[in-house]
Amino acid sequence: MAYADPMSRVPFFMFQDREHGEDVEASKEKGYQVPKLVTFILITPHGHKGDPMEFFAEEFIERKASDARKGVYDPAWVAEFKAGLAAHRDGKELPRNGTPLVTWERILKTRRVQLALRFPTVEDLAAVPDSSLGDIGLDGRVLRDMARGDIKAKTDLSPVVKELADANETIRRQQEQIDGLLAWKASVDAEDKPTRGRPRKEAETA
């Protein structure tokens, strides 16, 4: 998948299994307290600084899926979270660098899963030389060139996206300055405005 806007790309995330709380059923069965193994998702939202944020994986994904159904969250990100959790539970991990091939929706899921065993990322697939196209299969050249096209499209658009982002930031700051000036002018006008009321009638001279 090509990302015309880098901010539209799913944030970095990974999964960890850790002991959290008590496994009540296992404790009853064994006669002593057994810790519960829980899967956490660690995610770094765009613009976030510091350590990744942690959530219970299943609860987080379900909440984001609900937001996606309401149209307030990217459903493609939810799909990547689900694919990542499934891969984690299968004993695999999504690669941390590049676009995970298992989430590349340009080809069928069964084909993605098969290819990901040898080429973890779209970038890995794009790097296959002509002499090794047979390692991909009969459709090797098509898939390799498709991957290269997606990466090139993302690269070509990056400067444009940055320029637009910088322009939008400039416009936002200018609008803030204008709003501040308008608010200041309104407060000054309010102070200078004379008090309304009927003028006092001058006393008539005798």
Side-chain angles (χ1 to χ4, degrees):
M1 180 186 299
Y3 294 91
D5 180 0
M7 299 295 287
S8 70
R9 181 172 182 170
V10 64
F12 166 78
F13 68 95
M14 62 181 295
F15 297 96
Q16 286 184 354
D17 294 326
R18 295 203 298 266
E19 294 180 355
H20 182 82
E22 179 185 1
D23 188 330
V24 178
E25 293 299 324
S27 296
K28 288 180 179 179
E29 180 181 345
K30 295 186 177 296
Y32 56 86
Q33 187 174 4
V34 178
K36 185 176 183 180
L37 196 63
V38 179
T39 301
F40 289 82
I41 182 172
L42 283 66
I43 183 169
T44 305
H46 295 300
H48 175 74
K49 296 181 179 179
D51 295 333
M53 302 173 69
E54 296 184 3
F55 305 92
F56 295 120
E58 291 184 345
E59 293 181 4
F60 175 83
I61 294 174
E62 181 53 40
R63 185 167 67 252
K64 294 306 179 183
S66 176
D67 290 343
R69 289 191 291 270
K70 297 174 184 176
V72 296
Y73 198 79
D74 193 335
W77 292 9
V78 177
E80 295 207 30
F81 295 149
K82 290 181 177 179
L85 181 58
H88 174 78
R89 288 178 170 168
D90 286 342
K92 308 167 186 174
E93 282 292 346
L94 290 180
R96 298 188 183 185
N97 297 308
T99 305
L101 194 65
V102 293
T103 65
W104 194 44
E105 297 183 353
R106 297 291 297 274
I107 56 178
L108 294 175
K109 181 179 179 180
T110 53
R111 190 74 172 104
R112 297 199 303 263
V113 172
Q114 180 188 40
L115 286 173
L117 296 175
R118 298 200 60 179
F119 310 101
T121 68
V122 176
E123 288 75 8
D124 292 330
L125 181 62
V128 175
D130 289 348
S131 59
S132 300
L133 288 175
D135 294 341
I136 303 175
L138 296 177
D139 55 354
R141 185 176 297 278
V142 173
L143 294 180
R144 192 275 310 273
D145 291 349
M146 191 186 302
R148 287 182 175 179
D150 280 5
I151 293 171
K152 186 176 186 302
K154 179 175 64 176
T155 303
D156 290 347
L157 285 172
S158 291
V160 178
V161 171
K162 184 179 185 304
E163 184 177 345
L164 288 175
D166 291 343
N168 288 335
E169 178 63 17
T170 300
I171 293 172
R172 183 187 67 79
R173 291 179 179 176
Q174 290 175 342
Q175 187 61 50
E176 286 182 350
Q177 293 176 349
I178 293 172
D179 292 342
L181 289 173
L182 291 175
W184 174 80
K185 184 176 184 303
S187 65
V188 171
D189 290 345
E191 291 176 358
D192 293 343
K193 193 173 184 180
T195 304
R196 290 185 177 181
R198 296 179 62 183
R200 186 173 60 183
K201 185 177 181 181
E202 297 181 359
E204 296 180 359
T205 57

